[in-house]
Amino acid sequence: MPPWLWIALCWVGFACTHLVLSSASLRPRLVARLGDDAFRGVYSVAVLAWFVALVWVFARHKHDGPLLWSTIGPPAVAAALNHVVMALALALLVAGLLPAHAAPSSMGAAAKERIEARGLLRITRHPFNAAAALFGIAHLLVNGHLGDVLFFAGFPLFAAIGSRHQDTRLARSRPGYGDLVAATSFVPFAAVIAGRQRLVARELPWTGLAAGLVAAVALRHWHGVLFGP
């Protein structure tokens, strides 16, 4: 079986494990039987195992399969967009790890009686997933072999599906979450552009955003050493 097909199968396994274990029908039964902490442990190990397998296969078979495109658009424009999108992705990723700005659906989110759009959530209610989606999009701009496309396209696809799944589940179980969904967006800045949300500079995690930008510059500088061409 060609390596690019293994990449696709690993994404399917990762997605199925993630969505099935957290489904409305299975998750409550597993939590009741195992307990909340044990369920989170089993869930994390299962999902991580598939993701490690996915990355391992891709790392050993980068640029596998036929070339579908060299770059999307002119090479200079694609490279510049890659840098900008990756900077935004890492800024959201690092800032979204802060409990006060994490997605309400994440395990690391700060416990709140009332869910409201503040800080980073005004930009996107799923900072980590949005960062993963932007990571994939940035790399699709400059990687066009079939194996690369399957690997990187999986990030925005699964981020969108996973975010929708989380939104649906939480809208049923957490009061006020439906209002948060209506007032915010998964796509960064989409709710702001649409006029459903506004940016409040004093609420933003500037330290986390700056740290993400520094990480983006560092990764760009050492990309060839760490990850190859």
Side-chain angles (χ1 to χ4, degrees), residues 30-44:
L30 290 175
V31 170
R33 175 170 294 186
L34 301 175
D36 191 56
D37 289 340
F39 167 78
R40 291 188 179 192
V42 170
Y43 174 85
S44 299

Side-chain angles (χ1 to χ4, degrees), residues 58 62-63 69-72 78-79 81-87 89-90 131-145 147-156 219-220 223 227-229:
F58 173 72
K62 287 192 297 184
H63 312 316
W69 61 76
S70 295
T71 61
I72 297 178
L81 285 175
N82 168 269
H83 296 167
V84 171
V85 175
M86 274 302 299
L90 284 167
L134 291 172
F135 164 83
I137 292 169
H139 285 78
L140 285 172
L141 292 169
V142 293
N143 290 277
H145 286 88
D148 302 334
V149 171
L150 289 171
F151 179 74
F152 291 116
F155 286 92
L219 282 176
R220 181 69 263 160
H223 189 281
F227 307 109

Side-chain angles (χ1 to χ4, degrees), residues 2 22 25 50 67 69 83 88 99 112 120 124 144 148 156 162 168 172-173 183 186 192 200 213 217 226:
S22 63
S25 59
W50 275 109
L67 181 65
W69 61 76
H83 296 167
L88 177 58
K112 299 177 181 177
L120 201 62
T124 171
D148 302 334
T168 301
R172 290 195 301 261
S173 60
F186 161 67
V192 175
V200 181
L213 293 177
V217 172
L226 295 172

